[in-house]
Amino acid sequence: MTGPGSDLVKTTLPRQIFTVTQLTAFIRTALETDFADVWIEGEISNLRAPGSGHVYFSLKDKASQIRAVLFRSAAIRLLFGLREGMHIVARGRLTVYEPRGEYQIVLETMEPKGVGALQVAFEQLKGRLAKEGLFDSAKKRSLPLFPKSVGIVTSLSGAAIRDMLSVLHRRWPLLHVVIAPVPVQGEGAGHQIAAGVQCLNEDGRVDVIIVGRGGGSQEDLWSFNEEVVVRAVAESRIPVVSAVGHEIDVTLTDFAADVRAPTPSAAAEIVVPVLSETVARLRSLTMRAAQIVSRHCRSEQRRLEASRLKLRHVRFRLQLEAQRADEVVARLTDGLSSSLLAHKRSLDRINGTLIEHSPLDKINRGLVVIPLLVERLHHQIRAVTSHRRHQVQSAIAQLHNLSPLSVLGRGYAIVTIGAGTVVKKIGDISSGDEVRTRIVDGQFDCLVRRVVPDGSV
């Protein structure tokens, strides 16, 4: 080429044209290379958790936002639940979602800003289980006072088991201990702890269960915050004592258990008393009971003696009255007999007089009787006879009222023993004696089964 400026050669580079897919792939490679491990903080918004198990949301601050994704493999390791508006600090890698050409960050780990992830998980699970009623105080049961067997769910390699066994056997040497050995931290420890509690419940030999371990960090103790362990403790038919860590350590198992012990050794002291102290207490109670019984017996003996004195006085009075009654009956009987004999003699005299003055006798002797005289004589005879009949009937009525047979007719009975000896007092008979009972219209024989004096219980 000639002409002005022909000495200048203009060179044009060929154009490199990318497809959208190629350019997106280049950008993704660059981002993933330069931002393979970044930390980011922001506020969660547009949170979505579909059935796939992946979690999608945006991280934003006052001026910008970036899409974020937490794939299922990372989401299942997350100890706390995500919620809209939560401020988090997360670690991940930048990448590009090629179908939309949008860059995003794939997160691997995260924790709430300013608060540990374990603490957030603790509070969230505690609130959810509390709403279900797993921690209700009304469900707490009392521990048995004198358990025959104690179950322990813990690790065999820790110092906690040695401390608990030492305290248990020192306080109550006769105790039977059943151990369910389990790991107390690490992957799968929670499920094995829960299985240990369930196994002791199914076995049925223990009266109380201790679940616990020695001290450690919050991460070390986390197995006792797992939901499966908390539910196993809350659903246990056997009372459970939680003994996790030291006094300052608090786990969800503490809230679900019937009793919380500050340390494993303290748990052992809670579940069993001291045998020597119990024996001394029983001896003291036995002595007190013996003293109370002795005082009561003396008091009752004095009361019984007083009752016996009163009974003797009453019995003496009754005997005197019975003697007087016998004397009255005897006098009445003698009087009636004398009176009847006198009346009989009087009637005999009257009868003789009547016969002597009988009109028939006069007629037989040839005497003339005036009819009027005869009528007067008959009238006088009827009057005298009626008067004497009334006297006899009155005497018979009095004799009947005083007759022992009349007393029997009112429901009383006469009891005799042996050859006819009348039983007058309770001391005249004994258990096994044969007695004869006379009532108003007959008599029957009886066998004495039991003698009960008046005033006896």
Side-chain angles (χ1 to χ4, degrees), residues 411-428:
Y412 291 88
I414 299 175
V415 180
T416 60
I417 186 171
T421 303
V422 176
V423 178
K424 296 182 179 180
K425 54 184 184 297
I426 198 67
D428 293 341

Side-chain angles (χ1 to χ4, degrees), residues 15-35:
R15 291 184 300 175
Q16 183 177 4
I17 300 174
F18 298 96
T19 65
V20 174
T21 299
Q22 290 173 332
L23 183 59
T24 301
F26 286 144
I27 295 174
R28 180 175 64 82
T29 302
L31 285 175
E32 290 180 351
T33 301
D34 295 338
F35 299 95

Side-chain angles (χ1 to χ4, degrees), residues 148-161:
K148 297 179 180 178
S149 181
V150 173
I152 302 177
V153 181
T154 190
S155 171
L156 292 178
S157 60
I161 184 64

Side-chain angles (χ1 to χ4, degrees), residues 110-177:
M110 63 176 61
E111 62 183 39
K113 182 176 175 59
V115 182
L118 293 180
Q119 186 61 32
V120 173
F122 179 91
E123 296 297 337
Q124 289 180 345
L125 183 57
K126 177 184 176 183
R128 179 162 58 85
L129 296 181
K131 289 181 180 179
E132 294 185 28
L134 267 67
F135 306 148
D136 289 352
S137 58
K139 296 181 179 180
K140 307 299 182 185
R141 294 161 295 183
S142 301
L143 301 183
L145 294 177
F146 303 103
K148 297 179 180 178
S149 181
V150 173
I152 302 177
V153 181
T154 190
S155 171
L156 292 178
S157 60
I161 184 64
R162 294 192 296 271
D163 294 342
M164 285 188 284
L165 290 177
S166 175
V167 173
L168 289 174
H169 288 105
R170 172 172 51 83
R171 292 172 66 88
W172 198 266
L174 305 177
L175 186 70
H176 180 66
V177 179

